[in-house]
Amino acid sequence: MPGFEIFGEEERKQVADVLETGVLFRYGFDAKRNGHFKALEFEKKLAQITGSAYSHLCSSGTAALSTALSACGIGAGDEVIVPPFTFVATFEAVLHAGAVPVFGDIDETLCLDPDQLEKVITPRTKAVIPVHMCGAMARIDEIKSVCDQKGLILLEDACQSLGASYKGKAIGRFGLAGCFSFDAVKTVTCGEGGGIITDSKEVYEKADQFSDHGHDHLGGPDRGADDHPIIGANYRISELNAAVGLAQLNKLDKILEIQRKNKYAIKNAMADIFDVSFRYIPDAKGDSATFLSFFLPTEERTRHVAKTMAQNGAGPIYWYDNNWHYYRKWHHLKQMKGSAKLAAELVDNLPDYKNMAMETSDAIMKRTISMQIMLSWTPEDIENRIQAILKSFR
Ligand SMILES: *Cc1c(COP(=O)(O)O)cnc(C)c1O
């Protein structure tokens, strides 16, 4: 899964280009930069890969989410529907925008369930953020049609799913904007970085401005001559980070090919295990294949298999107990700890996170095990892993 597994000459060359000029800033310094615009090049490539009209690179996936929320006009008191299985960044970005995360249940895609959105939509709902978890997609066309019917903004958290697609269209392109992460453990890494894609010129321009203190980037070589049409922040990427990412992005096809090959070798070897069923993936061809996830019939059986797999070195992930990815252990959210509390106290529609019950999601997560698919596995590693997995079910 992580792009860092395949660092090579290409990354070193890209970084050396930047160090030779000494220009680490993505804007300006045209005379000194020897023609190197790494962030800009990355953006062009990301737009081309995803087929989106615009793309903007910023300092992290979290920054991309915050920037996209602002660019889409989502803010104080707006309710935003998010899933309880994600990374904490999704609800953090919503809270830091002054908006209110409202949790909707997931289905066997391990992503937001379009059939259960209606239950949590209120007159205050402004947006829906499905999170395409573990490299594969939500039932995104159905989620989109609910959003269209209800007049809600669709914003995709595709941080974990670069390279995934649904019926030939890149994940991240179904809503008003989509966000990716290029942090140190993602499919393509900048070290730290994040990207936004959109087909809306207005959203793109606002994102570009927001992530750089509101600069309109129209003042020419003198940044001081730029105007500031909106209040922004500094979520800029550095050229060094963008350079690493650019080399990585050029390897995406290769990465996807290896992931898919490794994943299906393992999945096929598990086909005959009688009580295993696999995660529902709406378009299996579009799976970026960073993880293999499956279900067992009961919590007890799942815990037992996860334990045996761990003992056998098969690297299971039991998300239901995970501190970072499932709402059950989000004590900081439940107690509203930190400065987000200040904004949250000002709204009168904050859900009771402490007593939130997500029974449908719990029932699914209790029976779910995932395995990360690595790029660096040799055929022997894969064979050993298959043996370790099969042994865990005996
Ligand atoms: C990684 C991730 C993010 C945040 O990305 P960072 O680049 O680490 O800030 C957001 N959402 C999901 C689902 C993620 O996995």
Side-chain angles (χ1 to χ4, degrees), residues 60-63 65 86-87 89-90 131 133 157 159-160 181-183 186 192-193 325:
S60 72
T62 313
L65 284 166
T86 178
F87 177 55
T90 316
V131 184
M133 283 301 279
D157 180 338
C159 284
Q160 296 193 2
S181 166
F182 308 112
D183 79 20
K186 295 298 205 283
E192 298 283 2
H325 292 279

Side-chain angles (χ1 to χ4, degrees), residues 36-105:
H36 296 307
F37 291 87
K38 301 301 185 189
L40 207 59
E41 246 189 276
F42 185 109
E43 287 164 349
K44 280 194 188 137
K45 180 89 192 167
L46 181 62
Q48 182 211 324
I49 286 172
T50 56
S52 59
Y54 304 95
S55 132
H56 182 67
L57 188 56
C58 41
S59 54
S60 72
T62 313
L65 284 166
S66 286
T67 302
L69 283 161
S70 170
C72 294
I74 300 157
D78 290 337
E79 292 177 8
V80 180
I81 300 172
V82 297
F85 178 46
T86 178
F87 177 55
V88 295
T90 316
F91 72 74
E92 283 176 338
V94 173
L95 283 170
H96 288 304
V100 178
V102 173
F103 291 88
D105 272 308

